[in-house]
Amino acid sequence: VCREACILLDPPLVGPGGSVPRAVHPASLTPLAASQDTCMKILSITRTLVRGEGQALLLRDPTTEKATFQVIFGGNGMSFTGVEQGAFGTITNSSSAGLSLAETAMQTHKIVCVDDASDDPRYNATLDGNVGSSVPLAVIPIRGRGSAVIGALLCVRGRNGNPFSNEDLIAAEVAASHGGLSIYWCQGLGSVHHIL
Protein backbone atom coordinates (compact mmCIF):
# COMPACT_ATOMS: atom_id res chain seq x y z
CA VAL A 1 0.00 0.00 0.00
CA CYS A 2 2.75 2.44 0.94
CA ARG A 3 4.64 1.74 -2.28
CA GLU A 4 1.52 2.43 -4.36
CA ALA A 5 0.62 5.52 -2.29
CA CYS A 6 3.96 7.09 -3.22
CA ILE A 7 2.46 8.11 -6.59
CA LEU A 8 0.52 10.75 -4.66
CA LEU A 9 3.87 12.53 -4.28
CA ASP A 10 4.60 12.44 -8.02
CA PRO A 11 4.23 15.75 -9.81
CA PRO A 12 1.02 16.13 -11.82
CA LEU A 13 1.21 15.79 -15.57
CA VAL A 14 -0.53 18.49 -17.54
CA GLY A 15 -0.55 19.43 -21.18
CA PRO A 16 -2.30 22.57 -22.38
CA GLY A 17 -4.59 22.03 -25.35
CA GLY A 18 -3.68 18.38 -25.86
CA SER A 19 0.03 19.02 -26.19
CA VAL A 20 2.67 16.76 -24.72
CA PRO A 21 2.22 16.58 -20.92
CA ARG A 22 4.86 18.19 -18.76
CA ALA A 23 5.47 17.87 -15.04
CA VAL A 24 4.66 20.91 -12.93
CA HIS A 25 4.49 21.65 -9.23
CA PRO A 26 0.97 21.07 -7.84
CA ALA A 27 0.84 24.58 -6.35
CA SER A 28 0.97 26.02 -9.88
CA LEU A 29 -2.33 24.27 -10.67
CA THR A 30 -5.72 25.59 -9.71
CA PRO A 31 -7.13 23.84 -6.63
CA LEU A 32 -9.66 22.06 -8.88
CA ALA A 33 -6.96 20.76 -11.25
CA ALA A 34 -4.79 19.66 -8.30
CA SER A 35 -7.78 17.86 -6.75
CA GLN A 36 -8.59 16.15 -10.05
CA ASP A 37 -4.99 14.97 -10.45
CA THR A 38 -4.92 13.68 -6.87
CA CYS A 39 -8.27 11.92 -7.21
CA MET A 40 -7.19 10.16 -10.39
CA LYS A 41 -4.05 8.97 -8.58
CA ILE A 42 -6.19 7.65 -5.70
CA LEU A 43 -8.38 5.75 -8.19
CA SER A 44 -5.28 4.28 -9.83
CA ILE A 45 -3.87 3.17 -6.47
CA THR A 46 -7.18 1.55 -5.55
CA ARG A 47 -7.48 -0.25 -8.90
CA THR A 48 -4.00 -1.73 -8.42
CA LEU A 49 -4.45 -2.71 -4.77
CA VAL A 50 -7.90 -4.30 -4.85
CA ARG A 51 -7.90 -5.42 -8.49
CA GLY A 52 -11.16 -3.65 -9.17
CA GLU A 53 -12.87 -3.04 -12.48
CA GLY A 54 -14.31 0.28 -11.43
CA GLN A 55 -13.65 2.83 -8.73
CA ALA A 56 -15.07 6.21 -7.81
CA LEU A 57 -14.61 9.01 -5.32
CA LEU A 58 -17.58 10.89 -3.91
CA LEU A 59 -16.67 14.13 -2.15
CA ARG A 60 -19.27 16.03 -0.14
CA ASP A 61 -20.26 19.47 -1.34
CA PRO A 62 -20.32 21.47 1.90
CA THR A 63 -22.07 24.42 0.24
CA THR A 64 -25.40 22.57 -0.18
CA GLU A 65 -27.93 21.25 2.30
CA LYS A 66 -28.96 18.25 0.20
CA ALA A 67 -26.86 15.15 -0.29
CA THR A 68 -24.81 16.63 -3.14
CA PHE A 69 -21.41 15.25 -4.11
CA GLN A 70 -18.60 15.81 -6.54
CA VAL A 71 -17.86 12.48 -8.21
CA ILE A 72 -14.95 11.27 -10.30
CA PHE A 73 -14.61 7.68 -11.50
CA GLY A 74 -12.48 5.34 -13.57
CA GLY A 75 -12.65 1.83 -14.97
CA ASN A 76 -15.42 0.06 -16.83
CA GLY A 77 -17.22 -1.56 -13.87
CA MET A 78 -19.40 1.44 -12.99
CA SER A 79 -20.67 4.70 -14.41
CA PHE A 80 -22.57 7.78 -13.27
CA THR A 81 -25.32 9.30 -15.39
CA GLY A 82 -24.23 12.57 -16.98
CA VAL A 83 -20.61 12.33 -15.77
CA GLU A 84 -17.60 11.63 -17.97
CA GLN A 85 -14.96 9.21 -16.80
CA GLY A 86 -11.90 11.00 -15.35
CA ALA A 87 -13.68 14.36 -14.88
CA PHE A 88 -15.53 15.81 -11.92
CA GLY A 89 -19.31 15.80 -12.07
CA THR A 90 -22.04 16.70 -9.61
CA ILE A 91 -24.61 14.21 -8.36
CA THR A 92 -27.47 14.62 -5.89
CA ASN A 93 -29.52 12.02 -4.08
CA SER A 94 -33.02 12.98 -5.15
CA SER A 95 -34.46 9.60 -4.14
CA SER A 96 -36.87 9.39 -1.24
CA ALA A 97 -35.94 5.73 -0.77
CA GLY A 98 -33.52 6.56 2.04
CA LEU A 99 -29.77 6.18 2.31
CA SER A 100 -27.55 4.74 -0.37
CA LEU A 101 -24.66 2.35 0.30
CA ALA A 102 -22.25 5.30 0.02
CA GLU A 103 -24.25 7.46 2.43
CA THR A 104 -24.53 4.53 4.86
CA ALA A 105 -20.73 4.19 4.94
CA MET A 106 -20.33 7.95 5.42
CA GLN A 107 -22.87 8.20 8.23
CA THR A 108 -21.67 5.12 10.14
CA HIS A 109 -17.96 5.88 9.49
CA LYS A 110 -17.59 2.18 8.62
CA ILE A 111 -16.83 0.21 5.47
CA VAL A 112 -19.86 -1.17 3.67
CA CYS A 113 -19.14 -4.28 1.62
CA VAL A 114 -21.77 -6.25 -0.33
CA ASP A 115 -21.41 -9.24 -2.64
CA ASP A 116 -24.18 -8.03 -5.00
CA ALA A 117 -24.72 -4.28 -4.97
CA SER A 118 -27.87 -4.23 -7.08
CA ASP A 119 -29.53 -6.79 -4.77
CA ASP A 120 -29.00 -4.69 -1.62
CA PRO A 121 -32.08 -2.63 -0.63
CA ARG A 122 -29.85 0.40 0.11
CA TYR A 123 -28.40 0.44 -3.43
CA ASN A 124 -29.04 3.75 -5.21
CA ALA A 125 -27.54 3.96 -8.72
CA THR A 126 -27.36 7.77 -8.56
CA LEU A 127 -24.86 7.78 -5.68
CA ASP A 128 -23.51 4.22 -5.74
CA GLY A 129 -22.86 4.18 -9.49
CA ASN A 130 -24.58 2.25 -12.24
CA VAL A 131 -23.44 -1.36 -11.84
CA GLY A 132 -24.74 -4.64 -13.22
CA SER A 133 -26.20 -7.52 -11.28
CA SER A 134 -23.98 -9.81 -9.20
CA VAL A 135 -21.31 -7.10 -8.82
CA PRO A 136 -19.38 -6.91 -5.51
CA LEU A 137 -19.11 -3.35 -4.14
CA ALA A 138 -17.05 -1.92 -1.28
CA VAL A 139 -17.51 1.61 0.06
CA ILE A 140 -14.77 3.09 2.24
CA PRO A 141 -15.44 6.39 4.06
CA ILE A 142 -12.79 9.07 3.56
CA ARG A 143 -11.96 11.10 6.62
CA GLY A 144 -10.88 14.71 6.63
CA ARG A 145 -10.03 17.22 9.29
CA GLY A 146 -11.18 16.33 12.81
CA SER A 147 -12.17 12.80 11.65
CA ALA A 148 -15.16 14.25 9.77
CA VAL A 149 -16.16 12.09 6.82
CA ILE A 150 -15.67 14.15 3.65
CA GLY A 151 -16.62 11.48 1.13
CA ALA A 152 -16.30 7.87 0.10
CA LEU A 153 -14.18 5.61 -2.07
CA LEU A 154 -16.21 3.07 -4.05
CA CYS A 155 -14.71 -0.08 -5.58
CA VAL A 156 -16.42 -2.69 -7.74
CA ARG A 157 -15.44 -5.94 -9.32
CA GLY A 158 -16.98 -7.30 -12.49
CA ARG A 159 -20.11 -9.40 -12.77
CA ASN A 160 -19.80 -12.54 -10.62
CA GLY A 161 -16.44 -11.23 -9.42
CA ASN A 162 -14.82 -12.46 -6.23
CA PRO A 163 -16.06 -10.68 -3.10
CA PHE A 164 -13.62 -8.27 -1.48
CA SER A 165 -11.42 -9.95 1.14
CA ASN A 166 -10.45 -8.45 4.49
CA GLU A 167 -6.98 -7.75 3.04
CA ASP A 168 -8.58 -5.89 0.11
CA LEU A 169 -10.64 -3.76 2.49
CA ILE A 170 -7.67 -2.97 4.73
CA ALA A 171 -5.58 -1.95 1.69
CA ALA A 172 -8.42 0.22 0.37
CA GLU A 173 -8.88 1.85 3.78
CA VAL A 174 -5.19 2.73 4.04
CA ALA A 175 -5.25 4.07 0.45
CA ALA A 176 -8.33 6.15 1.34
CA SER A 177 -6.54 7.61 4.38
CA HIS A 178 -3.53 8.61 2.26
CA GLY A 179 -5.97 10.02 -0.29
CA GLY A 180 -7.81 12.03 2.36
CA LEU A 181 -4.55 13.71 3.33
CA SER A 182 -3.78 14.55 -0.30
CA ILE A 183 -7.26 15.92 -0.94
CA TYR A 184 -6.99 18.10 2.16
CA TRP A 185 -3.66 19.42 0.92
CA CYS A 186 -5.09 20.19 -2.55
CA GLN A 187 -8.05 22.09 -1.12
CA GLY A 188 -5.62 24.31 0.78
CA LEU A 189 -3.77 25.29 -2.39
CA GLY A 190 -5.99 28.27 -3.18
CA SER A 191 -3.96 30.94 -1.40
CA VAL A 192 -0.62 29.49 -2.61
CA HIS A 193 -1.91 29.38 -6.19
CA HIS A 194 -2.96 33.05 -6.06
CA ILE A 195 0.46 34.08 -4.70
CA LEU A 196 2.18 32.23 -7.57
Side-chain angles (χ1 to χ4, degrees):
V1 172
C2 291
R3 183 177 63 240
E4 289 298 323
C6 285
I7 71 167
L8 291 168
L9 300 174
D10 291 347
L13 293 174
V14 296
S19 64
V20 177
R22 61 186 178 88
V24 298
H25 191 278
S28 65
L29 299 176
T30 64
L32 178 63
S35 292
Q36 184 173 358
D37 179 72
T38 293
C39 288
M40 291 305 294
K41 288 176 180 175
I42 295 166
L43 297 179
S44 174
I45 291 166
T46 305
R47 182 181 62 242
T48 301
L49 291 175
V50 301
R51 299 166 310 282
E53 292 189 24
Q55 42 286 320
L57 279 168
L58 270 65
L59 301 175
R60 287 185 192 273
D61 184 347
T63 62
T64 63
E65 292 181 20
K66 290 185 172 183
T68 302
F69 302 90
Q70 291 294 312
V71 64
I72 189 166
F73 72 98
N76 58 11
M78 66 178 6
S79 64
F80 291 84
T81 304
V83 180
E84 281 186 48
Q85 189 172 167
F88 279 116
T90 302
I91 56 174
T92 302
N93 185 5
S94 55
S95 169
S96 60
L99 294 178
S100 66
L101 291 164
E103 289 174 307
T104 300
M106 286 185 262
Q107 285 192 359
T108 62
H109 294 220
K110 295 182 181 176
I111 294 173
V112 172
C113 187
V114 294
D115 294 343
D116 183 355
S118 64
D119 193 40
D120 192 289
R122 299 168 293 182
Y123 172 70
N124 176 336
T126 303
L127 295 183
D128 299 325
N130 297 307
V131 299
S133 60
S134 303
V135 172
L137 171 73
V139 184
I140 298 91
I142 299 175
R143 289 179 177 77
R145 194 173 184 175
S147 292
V149 174
I150 60 166
L153 172 63
L154 288 76
C155 312
V156 296
R157 292 215 165 116
R159 186 181 171 118
N160 297 318
N162 292 330
F164 292 97
S165 69
N166 285 338
E167 289 81 10
D168 292 330
L169 298 177
I170 290 168
E173 193 169 29
V174 174
S177 68
H178 285 295
L181 291 170
S182 293
I183 291 167
Y184 173 74
W185 188 81
C186 288
Q187 291 173 348
L189 280 179
S191 59
V192 177
H193 176 72
H194 292 301
I195 291 169
L196 289 175

